[in-house]
């Protein structure tokens, strides 16, 4: 389903990215998304750090500029799945895996599948460590995803996304 499943490497971060991060946004920077900046379909672009576009250009695989799936892969938030809508251009921090899809129309379906008991069960099975839980990119690449027909995937993803929106609207009304 995915054209790429990857993350930022420690070497990239140490050698280039860390020294380039800034705390003020400008038209020449991109938001640096961390695990605390996403939860499900909610993405916060109000980040602590920003990266110059000139540096981000060196790492096209971890640029977020299309609809894709985010996985939190380290720490207490392991198993948190995000659906990046592709409506902004951002840069990925180190504790997140990005899955860029061959067909963007599958994003809603894959997001909901990975949030389901089947998807979360695979994540729990692969999670390693005690105090600092982790899941590897290789594990994510090996996940089994049940695939109905393309038309059914589109309808399932659309229906579940509509339900998510309805729940959000009712939650706002309740608040």
């Amino acid at each position: 389903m995915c054209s790429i499943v990857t993350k930022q490497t420690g070497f990239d971060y140490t050698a280039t990215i860390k020294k380039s991060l800034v705390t003020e946004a400008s038209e020449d920077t991109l938001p640096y998304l961390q695990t605390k900046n996403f939860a499900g379909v909610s993405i916060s672009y109000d980040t602590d750090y920003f990266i110059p576009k000139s540096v981000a250009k060196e790492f096209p695989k971890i640029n977020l500029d299309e609809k894709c799936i985010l996985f939190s892969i380290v720490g207490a938030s392991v198993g948190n799945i995000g659906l990046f809508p592709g409506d902004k251009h951002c840069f990925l921090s180190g504790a997140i895996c990005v899955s860029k899809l061959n067909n963007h129309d599958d994003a809603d379906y894959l997001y909901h599948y990975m949030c389901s008991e089947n998807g979360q069960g695979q994540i729990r099975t692969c999670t390693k460590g005690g105090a600092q839980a982790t899941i590897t990119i290789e594990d994510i690449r090996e996940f089994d995803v049940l695939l109905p027909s393309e038309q059914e995937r589109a309808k399932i993803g659309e229906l579940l996304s509509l339900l998510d929106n309805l729940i959000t609207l009712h939650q706002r009304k309740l608040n």
Side-chain angles (χ1 to χ4, degrees), residues 9-120:
T9 71
F11 177 78
D12 294 337
Y13 179 75
T14 303
T16 307
I17 296 168
K18 183 178 182 181
K19 64 185 175 187
S20 302
L21 294 174
V22 295
T23 57
E24 296 292 324
S26 75
E27 64 181 45
D28 296 325
T29 62
L30 298 175
Y32 183 73
L33 286 188
Q34 299 170 294
T35 56
K36 67 181 181 178
N37 297 117
F38 73 91
V41 296
S42 175
I43 307 286
S44 171
Y45 302 104
D46 184 21
T47 63
D48 297 331
Y49 298 103
F50 301 86
I51 191 157
K53 289 179 181 177
S54 59
V55 175
K57 187 170 60 173
E58 297 177 38
F59 304 95
K61 292 178 181 177
I62 55 175
N63 274 258
L64 302 177
D65 56 0
E66 61 189 82
K67 197 170 190 179
C68 56
I69 307 299
L70 306 176
F71 294 84
S72 179
I73 59 173
V74 177
S77 63
V78 165
N80 179 30
I81 309 297
L83 178 60
F84 185 79
D87 59 348
K88 291 197 179 262
H89 190 175
C90 298
F91 194 76
L92 195 65
S93 76
I96 305 170
C97 166
V98 60
S99 294
K100 296 184 179 181
L101 294 111
N102 293 322
N103 181 351
H104 295 130
D105 293 336
D106 286 335
D108 290 327
Y109 175 79
L110 183 58
Y111 163 73
H112 288 289
Y113 184 85
M114 293 311 304
C115 290
S116 76
E117 185 54 39
N118 285 342
Q120 289 295 300

Side-chain angles (χ1 to χ4, degrees), residues 124-145:
R124 284 190 300 275
T125 299
C126 296
T127 300
K128 299 155 189 67
Q132 184 73 342
T134 62
I135 187 167
T136 68
I137 298 300
E138 290 75 24
D139 289 331
I140 293 171
R141 288 178 181 150
E142 295 299 318
F143 284 163
D144 290 321
V145 177

